[in-house]
Each structure stands twice: as C-alpha cells, then as structure tokens.
Amino acid sequence: MRLSLTVNGDHLTSGAEPVTPLVDVLREEFYLTGAKPVCREGFCGACMVLIDGNPTPSCLMPVALGQGCDIRTVEGLTANGGLNPIQVALEACDAVQCGMCFPGMVVSLTHLLTIRPAATRDDIRAALTGNVCRCTGYERIIEAALLALATK
Ligand code: FES
Ligand code: FES
C-alpha cells in the first residue's frame, strides 16, 4: 500500500515502509534534499521541516505519521521557489559557512517570523535551541534574523 503525503502543497505517494524516517523519503523519493540527516537523533535540527506549521525534526518522524499533515520543506517556503526574507537576510549578513545547518535554520526562523513578527533577540535565541551550527557561532545568524524582522 502506498502512503499519501502532502509536501509543499503537492500530493505525492511513497512506497516506503511506514517506519522509514520522513527525511529519507523527502530526499530519496521526492528529491527534496534541503533537509539533511546529520545526527538522526533529534538533536541538531539539520532535518527540520514544518509539520502543520510547526518545526519538527524529520529524522524522528516515521513517514506514515506524515499522512494527513501539511509537510513543508525549505524548498517550499515561498510560492515561487525564490528566497524568503530570512534567506535574503542570511545572505546579506554573510551568515552561511558550510551550509549544512542552514535549511533547518531557515525553517525554524521562518516559523518564528510568522508567529512573532516583533520577535526579540531572546526570542530568536529560543527559536534556535533545536538548531546546531558547528561553523559560524550564532551572532551573524541572529543579526540576520533581526534584519529580516526589520525589513519584512
Ligand atoms: S538529523 Fe534530525 S535532528 Fe539531527
Ligand atoms: S554553517 Fe556549517 S554547520 Fe552551520
């Protein structure tokens, strides 16, 4: 039996085993490679996607549980596939180094900007507690989020 999923507004089906991690189906069946399986333990946030609008590590979610949910990956954050305000700000602030963590960062920060348009520096820090960056330190990322809030 195939599983039915809604990903970035598209209705897709998967032949994966129900317990397969969602991140693997997104990447290997749907070629949405933004979400990265790095720790596979729910710790690093590199695999973050939005499930019904909430940031969720897709490495911990069995694909079968995604049925009936609105699944949104970093590729689907804008209607036209262009950059959203947080992506523009991250680039402007030169915040990206290796880039491994950034799809997850973008997902978490996009969610924050959506639910809290007047977010503070502390709100940004709190929003990133589930996202680990091994390269940059976090200051430029926080500056980028503040820039995105100011220019939104
Ligand atoms: S790979 Fe999912 S949280 Fe690290
Ligand atoms: S830019 Fe390399 S892990 Fe964040």
Side-chain angles (χ1 to χ4, degrees):
M1 189 183 82
R2 293 187 70 83
L3 302 168
S4 298
L5 300 164
T6 303
V7 183
N8 300 334
D10 294 329
H11 300 294
L12 304 172
T13 65
S14 166
E17 291 295 318
V19 295
T20 305
L22 176 61
V23 65
D24 293 331
V25 174
L26 293 173
R27 292 175 59 84
E28 292 165 21
E29 283 196 62
F30 303 153
Y31 304 111
L32 296 167
T33 55
K36 306 278 188 281
V38 176
C39 71
R40 290 187 177 275
E41 293 180 349
F43 172 70
C44 74
C47 65
M48 203 72 83
V49 299
L50 296 177
I51 303 292
D52 292 337
N54 298 307
T56 305
S58 58
C59 68
L60 294 184
M61 184 169 187
V63 63
L65 293 186
Q67 294 190 106
C69 298
D70 175 32
I71 301 167
R72 200 151 291 270
T73 70
V74 70
E75 292 90 346
L77 294 180
T78 59
N80 60 7
L83 300 181
N84 75 5
I86 187 65
Q87 289 169 308
V88 171
L90 286 164
E91 189 173 18
C93 292
D94 200 17
V96 184
Q97 290 192 22
C98 83
M100 188 63 87
C101 69
F102 267 84
M105 292 273 181
V106 168
V107 168
S108 294
L109 290 173
T110 299
H111 174 254
L112 176 68
L113 265 61
T114 303
I115 64 166
R116 197 156 297 183
T120 64
R121 181 175 283 266
D122 284 346
D123 292 331
I124 296 165
R125 285 181 184 279
L128 293 179
T129 52
N131 295 87
V132 174
C133 177
R134 295 164 180 83
C135 298
T136 65
Y138 291 83
E139 198 51 37
R140 288 187 189 183
I141 298 168
I142 293 168
E143 291 302 326
L146 290 169
L147 176 63
L149 285 162
T151 55
K152 202 161 157 269

